[in-house]
Amino acid sequence: MRLRDDPQQAELRHRLRAWLRATLPALSAPPPRGDHWGRRQYDLDWQRRLFDAGFAGIDWPLEYGGQGRTAAEQLIFLEETALAGAPGIGVNLVGLMHAGPTLIATASDHIQRQLVPPILRGETVWCQGFSEPGAGSDLAALRTRAERDGEDYVVTGHKIWSTNAHVADWCEMVVRSDPASTGHDGLVWLAVPMTSPGITVRQIETIDGGADFCEIFLDGVRCSAAYRVGQEGDGWAVAMSTLTHERLLAFTGDLVNATALADKLADRVSDPAMADELATLKAEIASSWALLRRNVSAAASGRPPRFEVSTFKLGFSRLANRLGGLAAPLATAALGGPDNDWAVDVLRQRLWFFALEIAGGTSQIQRDIIAERELGLPRSRR
C-alpha cells in the first residue's frame, strides 16, 4: 500500500490544485436548493468544465473520454476537489459513481460507446431504480417485473428513494424478468430512458427540507432489450458490481468533511470526556483513510477489494454518525450567534452523517456481507 504520492500522482495533484485555484473564484453561486432544474444545469456545467480541463473520469478508459489513469489518482481528484470546496458531483452522483463504472465493467461495447461518454461530458443525468417499498436493504426481495415482449421488456412496478429521478435522463434499474423466481435469481439490470411513456416520478420531502429523493411508478414501460446489461438472469451480479463501485470511492468527500469537522471541533471542546471521545474519533478517521487507501491500492494493482469495501463503509458510517452526535450540541449552542453559519452547516452534516448508516447499503447489510461471505458464518435470518 502506498501512503505517499509517486511522481505521476504528485504531478496530477499539483496540476489539479493550480486549476482549482484559477477556476473556483470565477464560478457563480449555486442555485437555491429548491431549484432542481437550475441545480441540474449548474452541476452539468461543472462536469463539462472538468471534462474540458482533462479532469473528468480520471480512472475511466480513454476510449470513452476518460483519462485512463488509476483508482489511486481518482482518489487524489476526490480529495483535492473536496478540500478546495469545489462543487460536489451533485446530480451526477449515480452516473459517475454507479452507472458509468458498471457499464464500463459489464456492458457491451455498443452500450458503452452510446451511454458512457455523455456522462463524462456533462450531458446526461442518471438515477437508480434498485430499492422498492418492500425491498430496501434486501434488494433480492424486489418485485418490479419485466416481461419480455419481442425485442422489448415491459416493466411494471414501483421504485423508491431514487435520488434526482425527477431531473434524470436514464435510470439504472434492477427488475425481475422471471415471475417464478425468488431471491437473487431471475433478475435483469436495465438502462431505462426516463422519458419513456408510463413513467411517473413523485418527489419525497425529507425532514431537512429537501426533495431530492423520488418514487418512480412504472406502468407498462417499454425498454429495449438492447439496454440490458449482462445476460438474462444476471441482474444480481451486475447490481453487486454497481454497489462495489459505489462503496469504494463514493464516500471520499464525506471522509474529507469528517476530517475537517473533527479538526475544527478541537478548538471548541473543553469537557474532558468529550475531548477523549474526539481524540478517539480522530484516530478512527485516520484508520479510515488508511483502509480507503489500501482498498484503492488493491484496485489499482488489479485486485479489486470486495469485503474490505463493506468493512470501510461500515466503520466509517458508524464513526461519522458518532462525530455528528458529538458536534450537534456544540453547534446547537452556537445558533443565533456569530458562528451561526458554521452551526447550521454542522447540523446539516449531522443529519447526513446519520443517514450514512443507510446510504449505500445499511450497516446491518454490511455486517451480513462480512459475516457470511468473508467469515463463512451461517446466513442470518431475514
PDB file of all heavy atoms in Angstrom, residues 21-22 24 59 71 88 95 122 125 127 133 141 175 204 206 217 238 244 263 270 281 283 286 306 310 354 362 374:
ATOM      1  N   ARG A  21      -7.460  26.539  -8.123  1.00  0.00           N
ATOM      2  CA  ARG A  21      -7.204  27.905  -7.646  1.00  0.00           C
ATOM      3  C   ARG A  21      -7.595  28.937  -8.696  1.00  0.00           C
ATOM      4  O   ARG A  21      -8.115  30.006  -8.367  1.00  0.00           O
ATOM      5  CB  ARG A  21      -5.730  28.075  -7.272  1.00  0.00           C
ATOM      6  CG  ARG A  21      -5.330  27.444  -5.953  1.00  0.00           C
ATOM      7  CD  ARG A  21      -3.968  27.969  -5.493  1.00  0.00           C
ATOM      8  NE  ARG A  21      -2.913  27.671  -6.460  1.00  0.00           N
ATOM      9  CZ  ARG A  21      -2.163  26.582  -6.426  1.00  0.00           C
ATOM     10  NH1 ARG A  21      -2.352  25.673  -5.471  1.00  0.00           N
ATOM     11  NH2 ARG A  21      -1.210  26.384  -7.331  1.00  0.00           N
ATOM     12  N   ALA A  22      -7.378  28.614  -9.963  1.00  0.00           N
ATOM     13  CA  ALA A  22      -7.697  29.561 -11.035  1.00  0.00           C
ATOM     14  C   ALA A  22      -9.175  29.559 -11.404  1.00  0.00           C
ATOM     15  O   ALA A  22      -9.700  30.577 -11.862  1.00  0.00           O
ATOM     16  CB  ALA A  22      -6.850  29.231 -12.270  1.00  0.00           C
ATOM     17  N   LEU A  24     -12.105  28.207  -9.441  1.00  0.00           N
ATOM     18  CA  LEU A  24     -13.180  28.336  -8.454  1.00  0.00           C
ATOM     19  C   LEU A  24     -13.607  29.777  -8.183  1.00  0.00           C
ATOM     20  O   LEU A  24     -14.808  30.041  -8.038  1.00  0.00           O
ATOM     21  CB  LEU A  24     -12.776  27.645  -7.151  1.00  0.00           C
ATOM     22  CG  LEU A  24     -12.649  26.119  -7.226  1.00  0.00           C
ATOM     23  CD1 LEU A  24     -12.247  25.549  -5.873  1.00  0.00           C
ATOM     24  CD2 LEU A  24     -13.955  25.480  -7.705  1.00  0.00           C
ATOM     25  N   ASP A  59     -10.055   7.708 -13.782  1.00  0.00           N
ATOM     26  CA  ASP A  59      -9.733   6.284 -13.929  1.00  0.00           C
ATOM     27  C   ASP A  59     -10.655   5.580 -14.926  1.00  0.00           C
ATOM     28  O   ASP A  59     -10.749   4.356 -14.924  1.00  0.00           O
ATOM     29  CB  ASP A  59      -9.781   5.579 -12.571  1.00  0.00           C
ATOM     30  CG  ASP A  59     -11.145   5.663 -11.904  1.00  0.00           C
ATOM     31  OD1 ASP A  59     -11.961   6.513 -12.309  1.00  0.00           O
ATOM     32  OD2 ASP A  59     -11.390   4.871 -10.965  1.00  0.00           O
ATOM     33  N   ALA A  71      -7.217   4.140  -9.997  1.00  0.00           N
ATOM     34  CA  ALA A  71      -8.146   4.466  -8.922  1.00  0.00           C
ATOM     35  C   ALA A  71      -7.461   5.323  -7.860  1.00  0.00           C
ATOM     36  O   ALA A  71      -8.105   6.167  -7.227  1.00  0.00           O
ATOM     37  CB  ALA A  71      -8.692   3.184  -8.286  1.00  0.00           C
ATOM     38  N   GLY A  88     -19.694  19.779  -5.540  1.00  0.00           N
ATOM     39  CA  GLY A  88     -19.762  18.324  -5.481  1.00  0.00           C
ATOM     40  C   GLY A  88     -20.294  17.777  -6.793  1.00  0.00           C
ATOM     41  O   GLY A  88     -20.680  18.522  -7.696  1.00  0.00           O
ATOM     42  N   GLY A  95     -24.537   8.642 -12.157  1.00  0.00           N
ATOM     43  CA  GLY A  95     -23.832   8.413 -13.415  1.00  0.00           C
ATOM     44  C   GLY A  95     -22.353   8.172 -13.215  1.00  0.00           C
ATOM     45  O   GLY A  95     -21.769   7.248 -13.794  1.00  0.00           O
ATOM     46  N   GLY A 122     -20.939  15.727 -19.231  1.00  0.00           N
ATOM     47  CA  GLY A 122     -21.946  16.536 -18.565  1.00  0.00           C
ATOM     48  C   GLY A 122     -23.185  16.742 -19.406  1.00  0.00           C
ATOM     49  O   GLY A 122     -23.781  17.821 -19.402  1.00  0.00           O
ATOM     50  N   VAL A 125     -27.953  12.859 -17.018  1.00  0.00           N
ATOM     51  CA  VAL A 125     -28.081  12.592 -15.588  1.00  0.00           C
ATOM     52  C   VAL A 125     -28.732  11.226 -15.415  1.00  0.00           C
ATOM     53  O   VAL A 125     -29.690  10.891 -16.116  1.00  0.00           O
ATOM     54  CB  VAL A 125     -28.939  13.677 -14.901  1.00  0.00           C
ATOM     55  CG1 VAL A 125     -29.239  13.302 -13.452  1.00  0.00           C
ATOM     56  CG2 VAL A 125     -28.243  15.028 -14.976  1.00  0.00           C
ATOM     57  N   CYS A 127     -30.293   8.207 -12.575  1.00  0.00           N
ATOM     58  CA  CYS A 127     -30.806   7.897 -11.248  1.00  0.00           C
ATOM     59  C   CYS A 127     -30.773   6.378 -11.069  1.00  0.00           C
ATOM     60  O   CYS A 127     -30.472   5.644 -12.016  1.00  0.00           O
ATOM     61  CB  CYS A 127     -32.220   8.445 -11.039  1.00  0.00           C
ATOM     62  SG  CYS A 127     -33.491   7.717 -12.119  1.00  0.00           S
ATOM     63  N   PRO A 133     -40.601  -0.204  -2.087  1.00  0.00           N
ATOM     64  CA  PRO A 133     -41.238  -0.098  -0.765  1.00  0.00           C
ATOM     65  C   PRO A 133     -41.081  -1.358   0.084  1.00  0.00           C
ATOM     66  O   PRO A 133     -40.958  -1.281   1.307  1.00  0.00           O
ATOM     67  CB  PRO A 133     -42.702   0.179  -1.104  1.00  0.00           C
ATOM     68  CG  PRO A 133     -42.631   0.894  -2.416  1.00  0.00           C
ATOM     69  CD  PRO A 133     -41.496   0.256  -3.157  1.00  0.00           C
ATOM     70  N   ALA A 141     -35.425  -8.991  -2.566  1.00  0.00           N
ATOM     71  CA  ALA A 141     -36.876  -9.106  -2.386  1.00  0.00           C
ATOM     72  C   ALA A 141     -37.662  -8.256  -3.382  1.00  0.00           C
ATOM     73  O   ALA A 141     -38.888  -8.198  -3.295  1.00  0.00           O
ATOM     74  CB  ALA A 141     -37.255  -8.701  -0.963  1.00  0.00           C
ATOM     75  N   VAL A 175     -34.750  -5.315 -12.155  1.00  0.00           N
ATOM     76  CA  VAL A 175     -36.141  -5.783 -12.194  1.00  0.00           C
ATOM     77  C   VAL A 175     -36.152  -7.306 -12.302  1.00  0.00           C
ATOM     78  O   VAL A 175     -35.140  -7.927 -12.614  1.00  0.00           O
ATOM     79  CB  VAL A 175     -36.904  -5.155 -13.377  1.00  0.00           C
ATOM     80  CG1 VAL A 175     -37.083  -3.662 -13.172  1.00  0.00           C
ATOM     81  CG2 VAL A 175     -36.165  -5.406 -14.695  1.00  0.00           C
ATOM     82  N   ILE A 204     -40.128  13.205  -2.896  1.00  0.00           N
ATOM     83  CA  ILE A 204     -40.390  12.927  -1.481  1.00  0.00           C
ATOM     84  C   ILE A 204     -39.736  14.030  -0.660  1.00  0.00           C
ATOM     85  O   ILE A 204     -38.517  14.222  -0.732  1.00  0.00           O
ATOM     86  CB  ILE A 204     -39.815  11.552  -1.068  1.00  0.00           C
ATOM     87  CG1 ILE A 204     -40.404  10.438  -1.932  1.00  0.00           C
ATOM     88  CG2 ILE A 204     -40.068  11.286   0.411  1.00  0.00           C
ATOM     89  CD1 ILE A 204     -39.719   9.094  -1.728  1.00  0.00           C
ATOM     90  N   THR A 206     -38.145  15.536   2.596  1.00  0.00           N
ATOM     91  CA  THR A 206     -37.440  14.946   3.742  1.00  0.00           C
ATOM     92  C   THR A 206     -37.367  15.942   4.893  1.00  0.00           C
ATOM     93  O   THR A 206     -37.640  17.134   4.733  1.00  0.00           O
ATOM     94  CB  THR A 206     -36.028  14.503   3.334  1.00  0.00           C
ATOM     95  OG1 THR A 206     -35.359  15.602   2.673  1.00  0.00           O
ATOM     96  CG2 THR A 206     -36.084  13.330   2.373  1.00  0.00           C
ATOM     97  N   PHE A 217     -42.960   5.339 -10.513  1.00  0.00           N
ATOM     98  CA  PHE A 217     -44.047   4.410 -10.804  1.00  0.00           C
ATOM     99  C   PHE A 217     -43.942   4.008 -12.268  1.00  0.00           C
ATOM    100  O   PHE A 217     -43.832   4.860 -13.157  1.00  0.00           O
ATOM    101  CB  PHE A 217     -45.402   5.066 -10.524  1.00  0.00           C
ATOM    102  CG  PHE A 217     -45.577   5.507  -9.089  1.00  0.00           C
ATOM    103  CD1 PHE A 217     -45.204   6.784  -8.695  1.00  0.00           C
ATOM    104  CD2 PHE A 217     -46.092   4.629  -8.137  1.00  0.00           C
ATOM    105  CE1 PHE A 217     -45.354   7.197  -7.370  1.00  0.00           C
ATOM    106  CE2 PHE A 217     -46.247   5.028  -6.812  1.00  0.00           C
ATOM    107  CZ  PHE A 217     -45.874   6.312  -6.432  1.00  0.00           C
ATOM    108  N   VAL A 238     -24.620  -8.016 -11.735  1.00  0.00           N
ATOM    109  CA  VAL A 238     -24.361  -6.673 -12.254  1.00  0.00           C
ATOM    110  C   VAL A 238     -24.621  -5.642 -11.166  1.00  0.00           C
ATOM    111  O   VAL A 238     -23.853  -4.686 -10.994  1.00  0.00           O
ATOM    112  CB  VAL A 238     -25.222  -6.385 -13.498  1.00  0.00           C
ATOM    113  CG1 VAL A 238     -24.953  -4.976 -14.019  1.00  0.00           C
ATOM    114  CG2 VAL A 238     -24.944  -7.406 -14.597  1.00  0.00           C
ATOM    115  N   THR A 244     -20.390  -2.243  -5.410  1.00  0.00           N
ATOM    116  CA  THR A 244     -18.977  -2.261  -5.061  1.00  0.00           C
ATOM    117  C   THR A 244     -18.306  -0.970  -5.502  1.00  0.00           C
ATOM    118  O   THR A 244     -17.512  -0.371  -4.766  1.00  0.00           O
ATOM    119  CB  THR A 244     -18.266  -3.469  -5.693  1.00  0.00           C
ATOM    120  OG1 THR A 244     -18.845  -4.673  -5.168  1.00  0.00           O
ATOM    121  CG2 THR A 244     -16.773  -3.452  -5.380  1.00  0.00           C
ATOM    122  N   ASP A 263     -11.204  18.400  13.103  1.00  0.00           N
ATOM    123  CA  ASP A 263     -10.149  19.381  13.373  1.00  0.00           C
ATOM    124  C   ASP A 263     -10.727  20.674  13.953  1.00  0.00           C
ATOM    125  O   ASP A 263     -10.159  21.265  14.884  1.00  0.00           O
ATOM    126  CB  ASP A 263      -9.377  19.686  12.086  1.00  0.00           C
ATOM    127  CG  ASP A 263      -8.503  18.521  11.640  1.00  0.00           C
ATOM    128  OD1 ASP A 263      -8.191  17.650  12.483  1.00  0.00           O
ATOM    129  OD2 ASP A 263      -8.148  18.466  10.449  1.00  0.00           O
ATOM    130  N   SER A 270     -14.104  21.516  25.459  1.00  0.00           N
ATOM    131  CA  SER A 270     -13.408  21.753  26.723  1.00  0.00           C
ATOM    132  C   SER A 270     -13.660  20.650  27.750  1.00  0.00           C
ATOM    133  O   SER A 270     -12.821  20.407  28.632  1.00  0.00           O
ATOM    134  CB  SER A 270     -13.828  23.102  27.322  1.00  0.00           C
ATOM    135  OG  SER A 270     -15.241  23.151  27.484  1.00  0.00           O
ATOM    136  N   LEU A 281     -12.155   9.512  17.955  1.00  0.00           N
ATOM    137  CA  LEU A 281     -12.741   9.647  16.617  1.00  0.00           C
ATOM    138  C   LEU A 281     -11.686  10.067  15.599  1.00  0.00           C
ATOM    139  O   LEU A 281     -11.671   9.564  14.467  1.00  0.00           O
ATOM    140  CB  LEU A 281     -13.887  10.650  16.646  1.00  0.00           C
ATOM    141  CG  LEU A 281     -15.171  10.173  17.324  1.00  0.00           C
ATOM    142  CD1 LEU A 281     -16.138  11.327  17.541  1.00  0.00           C
ATOM    143  CD2 LEU A 281     -15.841   9.082  16.490  1.00  0.00           C
ATOM    144  N   ALA A 283      -8.542   9.373  15.679  1.00  0.00           N
ATOM    145  CA  ALA A 283      -7.723   8.192  15.401  1.00  0.00           C
ATOM    146  C   ALA A 283      -8.451   7.244  14.451  1.00  0.00           C
ATOM    147  O   ALA A 283      -7.848   6.670  13.533  1.00  0.00           O
ATOM    148  CB  ALA A 283      -7.382   7.482  16.707  1.00  0.00           C
ATOM    149  N   ALA A 286      -8.314   8.571  10.927  1.00  0.00           N
ATOM    150  CA  ALA A 286      -7.022   8.247  10.320  1.00  0.00           C
ATOM    151  C   ALA A 286      -6.986   6.796   9.856  1.00  0.00           C
ATOM    152  O   ALA A 286      -6.449   6.480   8.781  1.00  0.00           O
ATOM    153  CB  ALA A 286      -5.897   8.509  11.328  1.00  0.00           C
ATOM    154  N   ARG A 306     -13.321  -6.556  -2.191  1.00  0.00           N
ATOM    155  CA  ARG A 306     -14.741  -6.889  -2.125  1.00  0.00           C
ATOM    156  C   ARG A 306     -15.257  -6.643  -0.716  1.00  0.00           C
ATOM    157  O   ARG A 306     -15.905  -5.652  -0.439  1.00  0.00           O
ATOM    158  CB  ARG A 306     -14.950  -8.343  -2.542  1.00  0.00           C
ATOM    159  CG  ARG A 306     -14.513  -8.647  -3.987  1.00  0.00           C
ATOM    160  CD  ARG A 306     -14.719 -10.106  -4.321  1.00  0.00           C
ATOM    161  NE  ARG A 306     -16.125 -10.485  -4.242  1.00  0.00           N
ATOM    162  CZ  ARG A 306     -16.561 -11.735  -4.192  1.00  0.00           C
ATOM    163  NH1 ARG A 306     -15.679 -12.727  -4.186  1.00  0.00           N
ATOM    164  NH2 ARG A 306     -17.854 -12.003  -4.145  1.00  0.00           N
ATOM    165  N   SER A 310     -16.939  -3.230   2.205  1.00  0.00           N
ATOM    166  CA  SER A 310     -18.001  -3.238   3.210  1.00  0.00           C
ATOM    167  C   SER A 310     -17.446  -2.899   4.591  1.00  0.00           C
ATOM    168  O   SER A 310     -18.103  -2.216   5.391  1.00  0.00           O
ATOM    169  CB  SER A 310     -18.687  -4.610   3.250  1.00  0.00           C
ATOM    170  OG  SER A 310     -19.467  -4.825   2.092  1.00  0.00           O
ATOM    171  N   PHE A 354     -25.778  10.907   9.964  1.00  0.00           N
ATOM    172  CA  PHE A 354     -26.719   9.908  10.477  1.00  0.00           C
ATOM    173  C   PHE A 354     -27.220   9.021   9.337  1.00  0.00           C
ATOM    174  O   PHE A 354     -27.324   7.803   9.472  1.00  0.00           O
ATOM    175  CB  PHE A 354     -27.891  10.608  11.165  1.00  0.00           C
ATOM    176  CG  PHE A 354     -28.922   9.663  11.729  1.00  0.00           C
ATOM    177  CD1 PHE A 354     -28.713   9.037  12.950  1.00  0.00           C
ATOM    178  CD2 PHE A 354     -30.093   9.392  11.043  1.00  0.00           C
ATOM    179  CE1 PHE A 354     -29.655   8.158  13.471  1.00  0.00           C
ATOM    180  CE2 PHE A 354     -31.044   8.516  11.555  1.00  0.00           C
ATOM    181  CZ  PHE A 354     -30.822   7.905  12.779  1.00  0.00           C
ATOM    182  N   THR A 362     -27.183  -0.454   4.183  1.00  0.00           N
ATOM    183  CA  THR A 362     -27.244  -0.210   5.619  1.00  0.00           C
ATOM    184  C   THR A 362     -26.126  -0.923   6.366  1.00  0.00           C
ATOM    185  O   THR A 362     -25.527  -1.884   5.880  1.00  0.00           O
ATOM    186  CB  THR A 362     -28.592  -0.676   6.198  1.00  0.00           C
ATOM    187  OG1 THR A 362     -28.660  -2.114   6.098  1.00  0.00           O
ATOM    188  CG2 THR A 362     -29.769  -0.065   5.447  1.00  0.00           C
ATOM    189  N   GLU A 374     -17.259 -13.361   4.007  1.00  0.00           N
ATOM    190  CA  GLU A 374     -15.850 -13.316   4.359  1.00  0.00           C
ATOM    191  C   GLU A 374     -15.526 -14.288   5.493  1.00  0.00           C
ATOM    192  O   GLU A 374     -14.556 -15.036   5.417  1.00  0.00           O
ATOM    193  CB  GLU A 374     -15.457 -11.886   4.764  1.00  0.00           C
ATOM    194  CG  GLU A 374     -14.033 -11.744   5.269  1.00  0.00           C
ATOM    195  CD  GLU A 374     -12.998 -12.017   4.192  1.00  0.00           C
ATOM    196  OE1 GLU A 374     -13.359 -12.182   3.003  1.00  0.00           O
ATOM    197  OE2 GLU A 374     -11.806 -12.086   4.534  1.00  0.00           O
TER     198      GLU A 374
END
